[in-house]
Structure formats: C-alpha cells, structure tokens
C-alpha cells in the first residue's frame, strides 16, 4: 500500500510539472503597447510600439529621468491580420498583445473605405487585446508618433496618448475616445463620431535649453456612417465642449474679443437640445447651464457683468462651431444624433426625403446661463 501511495504522489508531481513546460518567462516576451495603422497602394502597414517588461511593470527600482528605449516593429499585408502576423517572422521571441493601450490611424487609413471598422474588428479578434483601447488619428509619420517620449523621460505609457484622462481633467477640450465607443457611434446612422487628432509640438517644453517634443491633441476627425467627414482644428471645435457630458473644466477670457477683464473657469455644464419642425423645416434650440469661478481679475467688474460676458462667449463658441460644421455638412454638435435618438420618426421622414441638411438657421436659438459660485480666496476687485 505504501508503494502504491508513493507512485501516486510521484505521478501527481510529474503532471503538475508538465503544465509549466509551455510557460514563458515574462521578461522574455515582446509587449506591444500601441499600434499604428497606415494604408498605401492597397496594403495595410502596421507599426507596433513595444516595451520590455521592466518598462511596462511598475517597480521600486524605477529611475525618474532615465531614458526608456522604444522598439518599433513593422508589418505589411493585404489585410490587417496579415500585416500584424507578419511581425512574428522577425520578432525573435513571443509577442504579447495584452498591454495594447492605443491605436492610431493615419490620414490615409481614415480615408480608406470602412478601414476603421475593419481594422478594429481584426484587432479585437485577438483574445489578448482588450476593448477599452484609446483611438486616435494623426497626420504625422507613424514612426514619429510611436517613438514620442514623455516629460522627464517617463515611460511612453505616461503620456497623453496612453493616459489622456489626467490632462482632460485639467483642460477639458477634446475628450478621449475609446474603440468600443467609436465603433458604436460610427455604426449609428444619426450620430457623428469624434476621433481625436494626435500631433507633436516642440516649442512648449525644454530640458535645460534643449527643446523637447511633446504630444498634443490638436483637433479631431469627424466620422459619420463609417465615412470620414473631415478634420477640424481645436479652435473649430471650441463650442462642442459645452455639450460634452463628461466635460470637467475649461478656462475662458471675458470678453471673447479685445482686452480681457477677467479669466473664468467654467465647469460641469448641463445642456438640453430641443428639436422640432417649423413649416416643415428642421429646427434646434440649445440650452446650456454652467457653473463658474473667477480665476483672474484684470479690471473691477461686477459678478453680474462677468456672467453676462461669459454667456456671450459660450454662445458665440457654440454658434461658430456649428457653422464650421455647416460648411462641410458635418454635424459636429450631434444635433441630428439627438433627433435620431429622441424623435426617430421625424429623422426617418426627413432622411427618406433627403432633407437632413444643416443650414445656418437650422440652429434657431442658443440660451446660455452662467452662474459664478466662487470669486476665489482673494477678494479684491470683484464686486
């Protein structure tokens, strides 16, 4: 009996050890952290940003200021899957996709029919890749975007491309976009999706006296029914931020033109969109309510005056952004998206008659209500 028990124990140990024969040391794998997708002459071109385990994992030995090398892999194919798998031929070790945090589409890729949807479909069939991946477009070379370093030589994972929420919480301008949400929005007929545009600038930061390039979201691509509607600069999109549900804070000067009398921080806006037909013509009314506090006083000004000036600035920004969209028949403010969600019968009727056209007077009225809740700890000038 004792001999039988001994052999059973030996067999159990051998079986347990066999489960580790196919294991791979985590430091001996290539960790893909971002994917750049380009399209040229009928071929998909893929660039992958890779880091080793010591750069991906947090450790007590992490040294601030130490340069973190970035390796790029390149693949090409008639399909996205073929381009991705072609990287295996030269990767030397196993490629792991579970740390992918961002996908960047080139201008040419965005202009290719159905490219975004097909690419995202192919990438998400990899079991290791998650659904909450950040997505961007760019006009710059993919190798420049994917080798961009962060401030203090932090890991590339500590940048606007990979952690945009940190920056957005302080300056809510163009919101981060995630892949699962982008696909849902471009698949919905009435909605226009926004894809942030990623660029680099080298005139804002220096290390000692050496210029250091940094990421900036400089605008956005607008996509409707899986078709690229155009690129709009950050200045073009100023008015859209007042209609974002997750908009946290933004600073404005008042008045909008001329010498400022004050700088206000506006936060947590709430909006309503009213849709109706007037003599068979589509009309929209927008109401925005937003809180504010005084960030800087330049001249003695009453609270009431500052609120009125802020309301004028917000109103003008919304109108300007709307008109920028009208010039390209692009629904930047997603007014037609609201019509599709709230009054589908009207949307369907106008769509069937090819009457879903944005005109200057389609946006009928913009009501803005600003309430200053705090003038700051310094009480001078405000009255």
């Amino acid at each position: 009996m004792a001999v039988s028990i001994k052999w059973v124990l030996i067999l159990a140990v051998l079986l347990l050890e066999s489960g580790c024969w196919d294991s791979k040391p985590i430091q001996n794998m290539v960790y893909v952290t971002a994917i750049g997708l380009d399209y040229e002459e009928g071929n998909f071109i893929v660039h992958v940003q890779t880091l080793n385990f010591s750069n991906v994992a947090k450790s007590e030995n992490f040294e601030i200021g130490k340069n973190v090398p970035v390796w790029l892999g390149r693949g090409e194919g008639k399909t996205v899957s073929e381009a991705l798998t072609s990287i295996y031929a030269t990767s030397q070790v196993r490629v792991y996709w579970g740390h992918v945090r961002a996908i960047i589409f080139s201008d040419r890729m965005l202009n290719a029919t159905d490219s975004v949807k097909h690419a995202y479909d192919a990438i998400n069939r990899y079991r290791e890749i998650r659904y909450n991946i950040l997505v961007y477009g760019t006009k710059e070379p993919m190798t420049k975007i994917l080798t961009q370093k962060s401030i203090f030589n932090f890991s590339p994972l500590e940048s606007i491309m990979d952690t945009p929420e940190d920056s957005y919480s302080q300056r809510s301008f163009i919101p981060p976009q995630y892949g699962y949400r982008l696909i849902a929005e471009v698949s919905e007929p009435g909605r226009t999706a926004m894809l942030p545009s990623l660029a680099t600038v080298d005139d804002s930061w220096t290390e000692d006296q050496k210029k250091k390039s940094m990421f900036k979201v400089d605008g956005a691509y607008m996509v409707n029914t899986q078709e690229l509607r155009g690129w709009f600069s950050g200045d073009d999109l100023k008015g859209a931020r007042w209609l974002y549900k997750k908009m946290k804070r933004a600073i404005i000067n008042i008045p909008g033109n001329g010498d400022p009398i004050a700088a206000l921080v506006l936060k947590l806006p709430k909006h309503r969109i009213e849709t109706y037909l007037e003599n068979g013509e589509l009309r929209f009314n927008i109401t925005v309510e937003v809180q504010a506090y005084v960030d800087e006083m330049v001249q003695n000004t009453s609270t009431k005056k500052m609120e009125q000036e802020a309301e004028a600035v917000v109103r003008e920004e919304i109108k300007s952004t709307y008109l920028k969209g009208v010039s390209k028949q692009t629904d930047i403010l997603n007014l037609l998206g609201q019509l599709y969600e709230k009054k589908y019968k009207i949307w369907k009727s106008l769509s069937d008659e090819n009457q879903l056209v944005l005109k200057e007077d389609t946006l009928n009225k913009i009501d803005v209500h600003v309430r200053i809740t705090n003038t700051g700890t310094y009480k001078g000038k405000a009255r």
Side-chain angles (χ1 to χ4, degrees), residues 241-299:
R241 54 183 168 170
W242 309 116
L243 274 63
Y244 297 150
K245 292 181 179 179
K246 293 186 177 181
M247 187 276 204
K248 297 179 181 179
R249 69 189 301 272
I251 190 168
I252 64 169
N253 290 331
I254 56 172
N257 297 315
D259 296 331
I261 61 173
L264 304 182
V265 172
L266 277 59
K267 60 180 184 177
L268 307 175
K270 297 179 181 179
H271 74 274
R272 298 188 305 276
I273 298 175
E274 179 189 0
T275 61
Y276 62 98
L277 293 176
E278 183 179 73
N279 299 323
E281 294 284 333
L282 183 61
R283 295 285 185 269
F284 294 98
N285 292 333
I286 297 176
T287 301
V288 175
E289 298 177 357
V290 59
Q291 301 175 36
Y293 63 85
V294 178
D295 203 49
E296 180 181 351
M297 289 289 295
V298 180
Q299 298 179 17

Side-chain angles (χ1 to χ4, degrees), residues 5-162:
I5 294 174
K6 181 176 71 175
W7 281 108
V8 168
L9 291 173
I10 292 173
L11 181 61
V13 170
L14 290 174
L15 288 173
L16 287 172
E17 287 185 349
S18 67
C20 301
W21 289 349
D22 193 37
S23 67
K24 194 74 175 175
I26 57 178
Q27 69 271 19
N28 292 342
M29 290 194 286
V30 172
Y31 292 87
V32 178
T33 52
I35 300 173
L37 294 171
D38 201 354
Y39 188 81
E40 186 176 2
E41 297 179 354
N43 284 334
F44 291 96
I45 301 169
V46 173
H47 291 87
V48 293
Q49 178 195 77
T50 64
L51 300 174
N52 63 30
F53 179 75
S54 63
N55 299 142
V56 175
K58 300 289 185 180
S59 70
E60 295 180 357
N61 296 324
F62 176 73
E63 185 179 340
I64 294 177
K66 182 180 179 181
N67 186 46
V68 177
V70 178
W71 284 66
L72 297 186
R74 185 183 185 279
E76 188 171 339
K78 292 294 183 182
T79 63
V80 175
S81 295
E82 183 183 15
L84 287 169
T85 55
S86 70
I87 293 171
Y88 298 152
T90 56
S91 66
Q92 312 303 311
V93 295
R94 180 176 175 177
V95 177
Y96 181 69
W97 302 90
H99 284 289
V100 174
R101 299 172 66 166
I103 299 175
I104 305 95
F105 300 94
S106 71
D107 255 355
R108 289 177 296 193
M109 183 78 175
L110 291 170
N111 278 291
T113 305
D114 293 339
S115 62
V116 175
K117 188 174 183 179
H118 290 168
Y120 194 74
D121 175 84
I123 289 171
N124 273 284
R125 291 184 187 276
Y126 283 73
R127 297 183 200 178
E128 295 172 348
I129 295 181
R130 296 166 292 178
Y131 290 99
N132 57 338
I133 298 174
L134 290 154
V135 286
Y136 301 92
T138 189
K139 297 180 179 181
E140 298 194 14
M142 204 61 70
T143 52
K144 183 178 182 181
I145 292 292
L146 294 178
T147 54
Q148 177 63 43
K149 300 298 179 67
S150 184
I151 194 169
F152 302 138
N153 284 323
F154 282 154
S155 162
L157 301 182
E158 305 299 328
S159 69
I160 286 178
M161 184 176 77
D162 291 287

